[in-house]
Amino acid sequence: SIKAYAKNSEFKDTNTQHTIFYVLNGSMNVNGVRHDTPFGLLRLNTDSSALTVSEENNVKVFWITFGGTDSVNMLEKANFDLNNPFFKIKHTSYFLEINNLVNELTTIDDENQFSLISKLMALLALHAKYHGMTDRSKNHGESLQEKYIILALQYIDNNKYAGITLADIAKQCSISEKYLIKIFKDSLGITPILYLNNWKIHEAKRLLRKTNKSIGVISQQFGFSSPEYFCRMFKKCEGCSPTEYRKIKKAEAEKNNI
């Protein structure tokens, strides 16, 4: 049996529960030691040492607390080192998948145990996948590319509502725009700006379904240069305009409510 709590509830760290922290942006001091992100921490219910965390700058932290008769067995199967709670998030794909799951978890109410436990299992599966991998086959150049991509993704995540440009992202990573595009395409198959716009379109779809906000307001909220540019990007991604998308989803919702 497993029960879980996420960050959007009051933090419950009792001696009958384990907690996994994901620190995805910024820098933090953990028990007096400074760590640069992204990294994670596993806090076991048997760990009686004090865990003191202080923020050095803008950070993105998420935790999930869980307990139950199968919890330790689950952690071991997921390749967690129970003697070393600190783990780095080194791989670009790992960072992206963790970040997506964290964003999903923050929208789930703690009463929805099915969804919470489903996401917990997904997080454990990701840890098992990437911490079962070895870095021995990676050369220095590949490791450096991973570092640049994660830096870029962190910057995009911190500034996704602003009108950031390719030049802004490249400057943050201290590399050229051409090289940034190359390593993004090599690793993720898309450019940094397309990655950012895909995220914006995904979130815009949610607002079109759930709110009555105008196209202009949504465009401005996500930092598009104009409503016209937002509509062009939306149609390119979805095959229809934002207005058409909203009508389709409204009709589907009304049909399902009949």
Side-chain angles (χ1 to χ4, degrees), residues 80 117 126 152 155 254-255:
F80 276 93
I117 292 170
L126 281 177
Y155 179 73
E254 289 174 350
K255 184 179 179 180

Side-chain angles (χ1 to χ4, degrees), residues 98-138:
I98 286 289
N99 199 47
N100 288 339
L101 277 170
V102 163
N103 288 333
E104 290 173 12
L105 269 164
T106 57
T107 66
I108 298 174
D109 190 280
D110 282 336
E111 297 302 316
N112 190 344
Q113 282 292 299
F114 178 82
S115 293
L116 275 176
I117 292 170
S118 172
K119 299 302 181 186
L120 170 63
M121 296 303 182
L123 289 168
L124 294 178
L126 281 177
H127 193 90
K129 174 183 175 181
Y130 289 101
H131 286 269
M133 296 172 65
T134 175
D135 285 331
R136 291 176 185 173
S137 61
K138 279 181 172 279

